[in-house]
Amino acid sequence: MRPGFLLLAAALLAAAFPFGPARAAGDAARGRALAEEHSCGGCHGPQGVSGQPNIPSLAGQPADFITLQMILFREVLRDAPPMPDLAQGLSDQQIEDLAAHYAALPSGPAEDRGPRDAGRFHDGALLAERLRCGICHLPDYRGRMQIPRLAGQREEYLAGAMAQYRDGRRHGSDTNMNAVMYGVTDAEIAALAHYMAQQ
Amino acid sequence: MMRTCLALGLTAVLALPAMAQQAATPPAPSWAQGRPDGMAASPLAPHAPRMTVTAPDQVPVAALRVPQGFKVELWASGAPGARMMAEGPNGTVFVGTRTIGRVYAVTDQGGQRQVRTIAQRLNQPNGVAVRDGNLYVVAINRVLRYDGIEGKLDAPGEPADLTQAFALSPEEHHGWKFLAFGPDGRLYMNRGVPCNVCEFDRDRFALILSFNPDGSGQRIEAKGVRNSMGFDWHPQTRELWATNNGRDWAGNDTPEDTLLRIRRPGEDHGFPYCAANWQDPFMQPGRPCSEFVAPAALLGPHTASLGMRFYTGTAFPEAYRNQIFIARRGSWNREQLSGYDVVVAKLDAQGNVTGIEPFLTGLRDEANNRFLGRPVDVLVRRDGSLLVSDEQNGAIYRITHGQ
């Protein structure tokens, strides 16, 4: 490999991938009103930080990620009750507005987050390094574009999502996550989820 | 190495739970297969798709450039994820997609285009083809036929389900299909390789296949084709020509995508051993390129050369007759973006490619290393105009000549 590759790669990373076309973003204020109207906060938390098991936090997720998942729900291509039902009838613009709203909220861990387990955290860190999670999700796991934030997400939700990818029950717009999770054991998933949730 | 790759290749996406539990220390995941250590930290990853409607005034049509004498305009928009195109006898343009799971029908309505969603909730219905007024749609592991489709665009009803007869493979990785009818009346489609690069059953994957329209009589038309997302037949010689995507993670300039000329059914084009006249060092033991058919032309590294058609109309200047238009969706596995355009492969009377020339440009912003859109397919309409689908903007452009 050319020696310049790593340097340039780092520069690209810092620029947070300006590859995609510029586009009119959703309107966060309209999104907030919509979220209230649809009671999204009843499940995902009033500020987008979820206090309920198996319901993910949305605060600070990249807008592209939320938009794509909402489209997959609406088109009934991601089977994850109750979301497909809840997404029916939302227009593309409304989805982009909702995404802008949640992307703008400050991310943070759930209030009911448990204490850090040094052993599992350490295992998770080593696995994340070996499986290169940070390459796509960024080194601080805040996500970018269609790639979600993992840092501070609910632990049991992360573990469930990873098992779904591994077992072929969830697919994104590409098969990267399915391939990443290939052969990862339940114990390894638990360590990864703990590590990410404790960021 | 080879044994683990074999296992990975065939199950990468199925990720059979039983096997998954056994493999204690799996090798590099398949998204990073064939990735040299020097690239381990590369942040390159597929670009985000856009699955919401791009308003007409946001479609970057003003940035598009075509050669002197040609005109390009926005023909249709509001079709998120628009990819492969096929024209019906009455002029309806059918459009397949991947992530959003829909098939669109675009009709001319008094100078305006109407876009209808005629099928949805399908798993990557990329392949569309029309024969005798019937629309064939191929998703991953699904084949559907909508009879007399143009007479019932508002209520297409339930299609005939031909899935069982075709017995496609369920692999998702490179499992979406390009679909077209050949001049022999058979239905042709690709079957991509279920990995980036790996050892696999070369009679099952990396193929172009043909079938009778009812799914019987499967035949291998070409082997060693990593993933072809476009092919067409030479209007005079009736030879099959195809685009082919090179693999990722072998460097910014290696290997190039290729244009293949398939002179005899069943010919071997070399993947995974050889691609674009380059023997892949990942395969050990390797096989030299001299064992395989050489490509007709190279189409640039990582350009994602997809839809291609011979120009069969008369509306463009004579020089374009029987030349090949090729849509290059554009790279992700390259630091400096490549592709994001439509090129023309120039052929001489013997069918040798004499050059690859730019045709539709402007979607790649070189200075800022950004892209504005992603051309996936080209379609020559019966009126001789050329349509170009832009997946990123959910739009279709129309290119005409003169006035």
Side-chain angles (χ1 to χ4, degrees):
Chain A
M1 226 349 71
R2 290 203 334 268
F5 192 92
L6 281 181
L7 267 180
L8 185 51
L12 279 172
L13 195 59
F17 283 75
F19 283 142
R23 64 161 89 151
D27 181 314
R30 282 201 310 249
R32 174 189 303 275
L34 267 169
E36 262 167 42
E37 194 186 313
H38 289 265
S39 311
C40 310
C43 291
H44 291 282
Q47 290 304 308
V49 177
S50 164
Q52 299 182 55
N54 297 311
I55 300 184
S57 294
L58 302 177
Q61 282 290 9
D64 277 328
F65 170 71
I66 298 179
T67 299
L68 178 60
Q69 299 306 316
M70 291 300 290
I71 297 279
L72 293 178
F73 290 138
R74 189 189 65 192
E75 305 293 319
V76 200
L77 295 169
R78 177 176 167 194
D79 178 19
M83 286 311 299
D85 286 345
L86 294 175
Q88 295 311 305
L90 289 174
S91 69
D92 286 5
Q93 184 63 58
Q94 288 176 317
I95 285 175
E96 286 178 340
D97 292 346
L98 283 163
H101 164 58
Y102 281 111
L105 292 177
S107 65
E111 267 177 38
D112 60 342
R113 182 169 75 173
R116 180 180 293 189
D117 175 309
R120 273 199 302 150
F121 188 86
H122 180 71
D123 290 350
L126 290 181
L127 277 164
E129 181 66 31
R130 176 161 67 77
L131 297 173
R132 305 171 187 160
C133 313
I135 283 174
C136 294
H137 292 272
L138 294 190
D140 61 0
Y141 308 112
R142 71 176 186 277
R144 56 171 158 117
M145 309 292 286
Q146 85 279 30
I147 304 173
R149 161 184 289 276
L150 305 176
Q153 182 56 279
R154 295 190 63 89
E155 185 169 331
E156 80 291 336
Y157 178 76
L158 289 170
M162 284 187 253
Q164 286 177 0
Y165 289 122
R166 183 193 62 194
D167 302 342
R169 287 180 284 124
R170 179 171 168 189
H171 304 278
S173 57
D174 56 52
T175 53
N176 274 324
M177 271 314 295
N178 308 90
V180 168
M181 296 315 297
Y182 170 78
V184 179
T185 64
D186 287 345
E188 289 171 328
I189 285 181
L192 281 167
H194 186 69
Y195 173 71
M196 297 300 174
Q198 292 288 332
Q199 297 290 313
Chain B
M1 184 71 171
M2 252 27 276
R3 261 188 51 226
T4 48
C5 282
L6 179 64
L8 252 185
L10 297 183
T11 59
V13 184
L14 297 175
L16 302 171
M19 283 193 66
Q21 295 299 340
Q22 283 164 20
T25 47
S30 75
W31 63 272
Q33 271 169 2
R35 184 164 168 155
D37 289 345
M39 276 188 169
S42 163
L44 297 175
H47 304 303
R50 181 169 196 196
M51 291 299 137
T52 49
V53 167
T54 303
D57 62 351
Q58 302 269 327
V59 178
V61 67
L64 299 176
R65 297 287 173 268
V66 282
Q68 181 104 45
F70 288 91
K71 185 179 118 187
V72 57
E73 64 197 312
L74 180 60
W75 186 70
S77 65
R83 284 178 58 96
M84 298 308 169
M85 299 181 286
E87 189 177 22
N90 299 339
T92 308
V93 174
F94 297 98
V95 189
T97 66
R98 285 187 49 200
T99 305
I100 202 165
R102 296 177 181 169
V103 178
Y104 301 106
V106 188
T107 49
D108 262 311
Q109 229 80 22
Q112 298 276 342
R113 253 63 56 193
Q114 184 179 359
V115 178
R116 294 178 179 84
T117 300
I118 57 163
Q120 53 197 332
R121 303 184 180 184
L122 296 170
N123 189 5
Q124 308 204 34
N126 186 71
V128 287
V130 183
R131 183 164 173 87
D132 300 333
N134 304 331
L135 171 68
Y136 291 71
V137 173
V138 175
I140 290 178
N141 205 16
R142 242 175 128 200
V143 185
L144 304 173
R145 193 188 68 223
Y146 296 82
D147 292 335
I149 182 68
E150 285 183 294
K152 50 181 188 188
L153 290 176
D154 285 321
E158 282 302 307
D161 194 330
L162 309 179
T163 304
Q164 281 217 312
F166 278 85
L168 305 180
S169 90
E171 266 80 359
E172 301 250 340
H173 197 121
H174 293 148
W176 55 95
K177 310 287 189 295
F178 176 78
L179 193 68
F181 276 99
D184 56 1
R186 289 169 67 82
L187 193 54
Y188 287 66
M189 67 180 81
N190 63 304
R191 183 180 293 158
V193 67
C195 60
N196 175 32
V197 56
C198 58
E199 189 137 304
F200 55 90
D201 182 344
R202 299 186 78 243
D203 291 318
R204 277 191 67 212
F205 296 101
L207 305 172
I208 295 177
L209 298 170
S210 73
F211 300 82
N212 294 320
D214 66 1
S216 64
Q218 176 186 315
R219 191 165 76 204
I220 292 179
E221 299 291 342
K223 283 180 67 167
V225 180
R226 182 173 173 275
N227 197 31
S228 173
M229 270 292 112
F231 37 81
D232 198 8
W233 290 262
H234 191 287
Q236 287 164 340
T237 67
R238 298 198 153 198
E239 270 171 356
L240 175 62
W241 290 63
T243 57
N244 186 25
N245 283 259
R247 79 156 167 107
D248 309 318
W249 301 122
N252 279 328
D253 298 321
T254 316
E256 296 198 39
D257 285 1
T258 48
L259 178 64
L260 307 178
R261 177 181 183 178
I262 297 148
R263 295 165 194 252
R264 278 168 297 277
E267 269 182 349
D268 194 334
H269 296 266
F271 187 79
Y273 301 102
C274 172
N277 307 322
W278 169 75
Q279 185 180 340
D280 194 330
F282 180 79
M283 297 306 293
Q284 296 297 339
R287 289 174 61 184
C289 288
S290 56
E291 290 185 23
F292 306 103
V293 186
L298 304 182
L299 296 173
H302 307 292
T303 52
S305 300
L306 307 183
M308 59 153 276
R309 317 270 173 174
F310 284 91
Y311 187 73
T312 47
T314 52
F316 287 7
E318 183 64 34
Y320 287 90
R321 200 78 43 83
N322 301 338
Q323 314 289 292
I324 311 174
F325 285 105
I326 302 169
R328 305 196 301 178
R329 181 172 181 257
S331 63
W332 66 266
N333 195 239
R334 189 171 199 272
E335 288 157 302
Q336 191 69 32
L337 297 181
S338 59
Y340 301 90
D341 56 11
V342 174
V343 295
V344 193
K346 294 285 193 174
L347 271 54
D348 67 17
Q350 283 70 48
N352 300 311
V353 180
T354 56
I356 305 288
E357 294 176 5
F359 187 70
L360 175 76
T361 57
L363 291 173
R364 179 162 47 89
D365 170 359
E366 210 149 328
N368 298 302
N369 206 26
R370 283 170 66 245
F371 65 86
L372 306 177
R374 307 195 81 176
V376 168
D377 200 11
V378 286
L379 180 73
V380 182
R381 291 195 85 195
R382 262 183 288 282
D383 66 5
S385 64
L386 184 77
L387 298 183
V388 179
S389 62
D390 176 348
E391 182 177 17
Q392 197 74 15
N393 292 296
I396 300 175
Y397 310 115
R398 178 174 189 253
I399 302 172
T400 49
H401 187 265
Q403 259 322 334

